[in-house]
Amino acid sequence: MIIGLMGFGTIGAGVYELAKSRKDLTVRYVLDIREIGIPEWTTRAEDLFEDKEVDTVIEVMGGLHPAYEFVAAALKAGKNVVTANKYLVATYYDELTALAKEQDVAFRCTAAVGGGISWLTSLERVRRLEPVVALEGIMNGTTNYILTNMAKNGLSFETALSEAQALGYAEADPSADIDGLDVMHKLLLSANIAFDVSLDPKEIDVFGIRNITDDDVWTFKSRHLTCKLLARAFQKNGKTAVFVQPTLLSESALTASVPTNFNLITYDTAFTGKMSYYGQGAGRYPTAANVVQDCLDLLSGVTKFYADAADKVAVDNSVAKYQYYLRTTADTKALAAEKWGDGVLTKEMSVAEMAAFAEKAKAEDPRIFVAALKNEE
Ligand code: HSE
């Protein structure tokens, strides 16, 4: 395989190193605007598209532009594309999957969800035989690192975030991590593949952890609860619910014990039931290894994307119901069931209702924090 690699940051440098160790992978170009001091370096994206011998383009630049233009150009030039860029694939899902199909080339993004976990390839495999009814889990290493360190080691939010950045877990702009958007993109990709749909990212309700305080964590601890940022999607009675929210789990729950940058992602299917995947969800080598595994899959004959169909389906989060820990200076009288630390525990309400409340309350109180209370597990 002759590879054109786009991006030589945390992941790109890892991909370069791992690919170099193999005889069946040749990195011919590495595109980066910075001088990177390697012989394959180029600043001209055209070098990769115009070279007929390059059969696969790997995009690990991140961001939407020029990643979209470059990936579209690579597909149009008849190259297979492997990317770890969830923001890109989630945003241009219809365009890029259709283009790959039209050009009859492979389009793979396994490292985009779960870092080093072979989650998307496992979903692809299970959905051949069984309908997937639900997906759930921890899909972001940075926020899990922050939440683990706040609860277990008493670190402040800011210190834990700085450490996650130093370890190469966080996005270039860590807002995407702490506001839940990174998880939303990963959930959208997973749900699209699992359910054969094409979801609109704007319809997915997302609550992040930016505003969680030491006192919130203390309130949860005193009730033997652990807060994790969870993604969830399910289909029930013809409705599709898809949302991301901090979730309070019993300390003894499996998901509550997931440490540092690890992810734990579960699907629930008609015959097998629940199956979980656990591993490092962020970091140079786990993610780079998953990118290189995609290349090896191409060498073993993979020729397309993970799913074929992509029906437009509206998200309906009125069918998912929780009690919520809600801390805000906005008026909560109509929702509150009991007082919990600096906040309240609400009566049961739907994710859609809480999203509508939080959207309004945010105007008055930008520091609002919500976390769903999960009873089962
Ligand atoms: N910023 C992401 C995370 C990187 O922390 O999970 C891996 O997708």
Side-chain angles (χ1 to χ4, degrees):
M1 175 179 285
I2 313 267
I3 294 169
L5 174 62
M6 294 178 158
F8 200 70
T10 305
I11 312 304
V15 169
Y16 178 79
E17 193 184 325
L18 295 182
K20 282 281 195 186
S21 70
R22 295 194 58 99
K23 288 206 172 52
D24 49 0
L25 305 177
T26 301
V27 179
R28 179 161 294 173
Y29 302 99
V30 180
L31 176 75
D32 204 295
I33 44 172
R34 303 159 304 163
E35 162 112 51
I36 50 178
I38 53 170
E40 300 86 352
W41 176 52
T42 178
T43 53
R44 289 184 72 249
E46 296 74 22
D47 286 348
L48 285 65
F49 312 141
E50 287 165 5
D51 186 333
K52 298 245 173 316
E53 286 180 10
V54 169
D55 49 89
T56 303
V57 166
I58 299 178
E59 184 278 311
V60 283
M61 311 163 58
L64 282 189
H65 303 287
Y68 171 66
E69 289 72 17
F70 288 173
V71 164
L75 293 169
K76 281 184 191 147
K79 317 288 187 199
N80 297 311
V81 169
V82 171
T83 177
N85 189 340
K86 52 264 164 170
Y87 188 16
L88 171 74
V89 188
T91 307
Y92 291 103
Y93 190 85
D94 293 337
E95 293 88 335
L96 294 176
T97 54
L99 191 53
K101 202 171 181 179
E102 195 181 295
Q103 292 293 116
D104 200 16
V105 292
F107 181 46
R108 308 292 284 187
C109 57
T110 313
V113 186
I117 307 173
S118 48
W119 163 249
L120 290 185
T121 46
S122 303
L123 255 189
E124 176 184 40
R125 188 164 182 270
V126 75
R127 65 185 287 291
R128 295 183 301 204
L129 180 65
E130 312 185 44
V132 178
V133 292
L135 310 167
E136 183 171 64
I138 295 174
M139 293 188 174
N140 181 271
T142 302
T143 46
N144 201 60
Y145 186 90
I146 294 170
L147 293 171
T148 308
N149 275 293
M150 287 180 81
K152 292 240 158 64
N153 304 326
L155 256 58
S156 70
F157 183 96
E158 290 72 23
T159 308
L161 173 58
S162 303
E163 286 190 12
Q165 286 176 293
L167 289 161
Y169 302 154
E171 297 301 300
D173 175 1
S175 299
D177 295 298
I178 62 179
D179 292 329
L181 295 176
D182 177 78
V183 180
M184 185 272 278
H185 294 137
K186 292 166 173 171
L187 178 62
L188 178 144
L189 287 183
S190 305
N192 280 359
I193 292 167
F195 304 145
D196 274 328
V197 297
S198 170
L199 299 171
D200 180 346
K202 292 189 288 302
E203 293 182 358
I204 301 177
D205 290 316
V206 182
F207 306 92
I209 64 155
R210 178 185 288 271
N211 292 339
I212 192 170
T213 63
D214 295 345
D215 288 343
D216 293 331
V217 172
W218 177 249
T219 299
F220 307 150
K221 252 188 167 174
S222 66
R223 288 168 169 79
H224 305 287
L225 295 169
T226 300
C227 184
K228 294 290 188 188
L229 183 60
L230 290 199
R232 180 159 170 80
F234 64 86
Q235 289 194 311
K236 202 171 164 183
N237 304 330
K239 311 251 189 212
T240 303
V242 190
F243 49 91
V244 178
Q245 56 187 7
T247 306
L248 303 176
L249 305 157
S250 154
E251 268 172 4
S252 59
L254 181 64
T255 309
S257 65
V258 173
T260 58
N261 65 324
F262 280 71
N263 288 184
L264 176 69
I265 323 176
T266 301
Y267 58 62
D268 195 353
T269 58
F271 309 124
T272 302
K274 286 191 178 182
M275 180 87 81
S276 299
Y277 295 81
Y278 176 73
Q280 293 197 66
R284 168 175 289 178
Y285 289 110
T287 311
N290 225 358
V291 169
V292 174
Q293 288 287 3
D294 274 351
C295 295
L296 301 182
D297 283 344
L298 300 195
L299 283 179
S300 358
V302 165
T303 54
K304 36 187 178 179
F305 191 65
Y306 308 83
D308 247 352
D311 298 336
K312 291 279 174 205
V313 160
V315 171
D316 183 349
N317 286 335
S318 65
V319 289
K321 296 192 171 149
Y322 296 88
Q323 283 187 280
Y324 282 91
Y325 170 77
L326 170 61
R327 178 187 38 74
T328 175
T329 54
D331 187 357
T332 57
K333 273 198 291 297
L335 308 177
E338 56 183 288
K339 181 93 187 112
W340 266 33
D342 293 339
V344 294
L345 183 71
T346 69
K347 295 179 272 198
E348 188 175 83
M349 57 197 290
S350 72
V351 173
E353 285 167 329
M354 179 47 91
F357 174 86
E359 188 55 37
K360 264 201 207 136
K362 224 188 277 172
E364 172 186 335
D365 175 17
R367 301 295 305 165
I368 181 174
F369 178 69
V370 304
L373 178 65
K374 191 168 181 192
N375 315 317
E376 77 259 43
E377 212 174 358

